[in-house]
Amino acid sequence: MLDTPTWFRQRRYLHFDEPLSLQKAMALVTNPNAVATHAFWPLIRFNVHTTKIKQNKTTGHLDWHHKDREISYAAHSDSLIFGFYAERIGALYELHLAKQGLADCVLAFRSLGKNNINFAKSAFDEISVRGNCVAVALDVTKFFDTIDHAQLKLRWKQLLGISELPSDHFAVYKALTKFAYVDRDEVFGALGISVHNPRGNGKYRLCSPTNFRGQVRDAKLIKTNPNKCGIPQGTAISALLSNVYMLEFDAVANAFATAHGGKYMRYCDDILFVMPVELASETESFCISEIGKLELKINPDKTDTCVFTKNGASLVCNKPLQYLGFLFDGQQTIIRSAAFAKFSNHMKRGVSLAKQTMRSRNKAKIANGADEKTLYRRKLLSRYSHLGSRNFLRYGYKAAKVMNSKAIRRQLRPLWGRLQRAIEK
């Protein structure tokens, strides 16, 4: 019996092909010729609508901002190929980071046994130890959408230490740059499948090859990436490739910071330099210039320069540093207030929906002569209180513990009362 490799995950979602057994998966992904000639299916793409709350720099008020992010997921066979090659390329990537002294600089999409709480604490500790310094935080605009294909291919070859990509690697590269995709709602509608209950028909495959040709391909539901930039978010290899793409930048950014007695860190498209105060402007200009060499751009609206100054035994700043969802002012660390506003909004909507469901079911029970039921609180408490195992409250308490922050505990304290009031209202 074969041991299950880490890249093998037998997902059960509906796609254009069926899940593969471990034996079939091994036969496919470990055969370079099979990968080189593999016909990749179109990705299925859907929009994730997110609502963010940001502080208006002019008024100081919290404003709601709506953003759509396109997420794609690959067919079963394609996903296993991506996972297998991500593991192989990832091993080379980790060796390269260790060799170049970059292991502490690149934080996201690596198996480090840490999360953004740990990374934020590390950055704040760095500032606290230094005392007089400046934190320059920058953000790359539309990172995944603007990754240049030619430069990605170059970094890929450099990592493999070869002048041309082997045919199997090139097939994977092509599938992620000249990718084909279908809109989830369009294709599900064309095939008569509910988006809300896609497995309700008991199938493991969206359609037969014949129906794929007739109802999907011939109906022109398939689109392709026409640009020379951009890779899809959501595949098993996309996150790794975004790190591979930044290899040269990470090296020069770390060299720049080290040469000036500073510190460089990057979490995906969030870039942070902790530098001597007098280098604030030079650091920002350097980053914008080097990022430009990768055909990427820095978002000026998300650039922050926070100066920290030692005042006796205290550390003060001209404005708090916002990093990975936290705010640090030299004295204390708190969770961004926007996160609490977002949580409260979700909680109120969740309680309202639970009440609507209760009223609807009780109406049917009364009509049938049955007793009414009270509000089902267990799920609400699991989702919106410390009694749950994985929710915002649990995340907050973990952050408070890791950062030893009494301020975060004070932020969390009122949430139980708000939930109770929403339930009793």
Side-chain angles (χ1 to χ4, degrees):
M1 184 176 178
L2 292 173
D3 292 332
T4 303
T6 54
W7 54 263
F8 181 79
R9 292 180 62 190
Q10 197 171 51
R11 301 168 176 87
R12 294 295 181 181
Y13 54 68
L14 275 179
H15 217 292
F16 294 120
D17 65 346
E18 294 184 349
L20 274 65
S21 66
L22 176 56
Q23 291 79 4
K24 289 183 178 180
M26 289 287 291
L28 171 62
V29 303
T30 61
N31 184 342
N33 290 331
V35 173
T37 57
H38 179 73
F40 287 85
W41 293 97
L43 301 165
I44 295 179
R45 172 172 287 188
F46 63 98
N47 282 329
V48 175
H49 183 74
T50 56
T51 302
K52 291 188 176 182
I53 306 173
K54 300 179 182 178
Q55 187 172 44
N56 189 305
K57 293 183 179 180
T58 304
T59 65
H61 297 153
L62 295 176
D63 297 333
W64 291 87
H65 294 265
H66 303 282
K67 180 181 179 181
D68 285 331
R69 188 160 55 101
E70 293 179 324
I71 300 297
S72 304
Y73 57 102
H76 299 285
S77 56
D78 302 349
S79 183
L80 291 171
I81 291 173
F82 293 151
F84 178 76
Y85 278 79
E87 187 172 283
R88 295 178 66 190
I89 296 169
L92 295 174
Y93 176 75
E94 289 296 328
L95 289 174
H96 179 87
L97 290 184
K99 184 178 180 181
Q100 297 296 319
L102 299 172
D104 294 333
C105 301
V106 184
L107 309 178
F109 312 135
R110 299 173 58 208
S111 300
L112 301 175
K114 299 179 180 180
N115 57 26
N116 65 309
I117 298 173
N118 305 106
F119 300 138
K121 182 180 186 301
S122 178
F124 302 154
D125 287 347
E126 181 77 23
I127 293 169
S128 298
V129 169
R130 288 174 178 269
N132 297 322
C133 62
V134 62
V136 182
L138 310 101
D139 183 271
V140 180
T141 301
K142 296 182 178 179
F143 183 31
F144 282 84
D145 294 336
T146 52
I147 287 177
D148 180 75
H149 295 165
Q151 296 212 40
L152 174 61
K153 187 179 181 182
L154 176 61
R155 302 285 176 269
W156 199 323
K157 291 189 294 185
Q158 289 174 339
L159 194 59
L160 295 179
I162 54 180
S163 58
E164 289 297 332
L165 288 180
S167 57
D168 55 327
H169 281 261
F170 181 75
V172 176
Y173 161 80
K174 189 176 179 181
L176 290 156
T177 52
K178 298 300 180 184
F179 57 90
Y181 64 95
V182 296
D183 179 84
R184 181 193 62 183
D185 295 355
E186 282 187 5
V187 75
F188 277 35
L191 297 171
I193 295 172
S194 169
V195 173
H196 303 292
N197 187 24
R199 290 295 306 281
N201 56 11
K203 296 195 301 184
Y204 287 100
R205 190 171 189 166
L206 275 174
C207 60
S208 67
T210 300
N211 287 342
F212 173 80
R213 290 189 291 269
Q215 295 177 266
V216 179
R217 188 186 65 188
D218 293 347
K220 301 188 184 304
L221 298 183
I222 302 175
K223 305 175 182 68
T224 56
N225 179 28
N227 305 313
K228 294 183 179 179
C229 63
I231 62 173
Q233 292 191 60
T235 78
I237 197 173
S238 297
L240 170 65
L241 291 183
S242 72
N243 273 344
V244 171
Y245 186 78
M246 297 291 282
L247 272 173
E248 189 65 27
F249 175 83
D250 290 333
V252 297
N254 185 56
F256 172 84
T258 302
H260 293 90
K263 177 73 175 178
Y264 161 72
M265 289 166 275
R266 180 177 64 82
Y267 188 95
C268 188
D269 55 359
D270 286 324
I271 298 168
L272 181 66
F273 289 88
V274 180
M275 305 290 288
V277 176
E278 64 273 13
L279 292 176
S281 180
E282 183 180 343
T283 299
E284 182 178 343
S285 298
F286 163 83
C287 188
I288 293 172
S289 174
E290 292 298 326
I291 279 291
K293 294 176 183 178
L294 294 177
E295 306 296 334
L296 301 174
K297 293 181 179 179
I298 294 295
N299 186 346
D301 295 333
K302 293 186 177 181
T303 298
D304 265 333
T305 301
C306 306
V307 178
F308 290 85
T309 308
K310 200 75 174 176
N311 185 8
S314 301
L315 185 64
V316 297
C317 63
N318 64 330
K319 63 176 178 178
L321 170 64
Q322 179 177 298
Y323 187 58
L324 301 184
F326 297 91
L327 286 175
F328 177 66
D329 65 0
Q331 298 295 309
Q332 63 180 12
T333 302
I334 61 173
I335 298 173
R336 293 171 59 237
S337 57
F340 288 90
K342 185 176 181 180
F343 169 77
S344 293
N345 185 55
H346 285 172
M347 181 266 291
K348 290 175 183 177
R349 284 192 299 176
V351 173
S352 177
L353 180 60
K355 290 180 177 180
Q356 290 176 33
T357 303
M358 177 193 69
R359 287 192 289 267
S360 177
R361 289 178 177 175
N362 281 339
K363 186 177 180 180
K365 286 181 179 295
I366 292 171
N368 294 326
D371 294 333
E372 294 183 58
K373 293 290 187 179
T374 58
L375 183 66
Y376 189 63
R377 299 185 179 215
R378 181 176 294 178
K379 185 173 288 187
L380 292 175
L381 295 177
S382 176
R383 287 181 177 178
Y384 306 115
S385 82
H386 62 282
L387 300 176
S389 58
R390 295 184 64 184
N391 58 32
F392 177 74
L393 270 296
R394 280 295 181 185
Y395 170 82
Y397 284 118
K398 181 178 181 180
K401 182 178 180 180
V402 170
M403 296 186 172
N404 192 27
S405 172
K406 294 180 180 178
I408 293 178
R409 293 188 181 92
R410 286 195 296 270
Q411 286 182 293
L412 296 168
R413 204 167 291 151
L415 297 184
W416 173 259
R418 291 180 193 172
L419 175 61
Q420 294 303 309
R421 287 192 294 273
I423 290 175
E424 299 299 335
K425 186 177 179 180

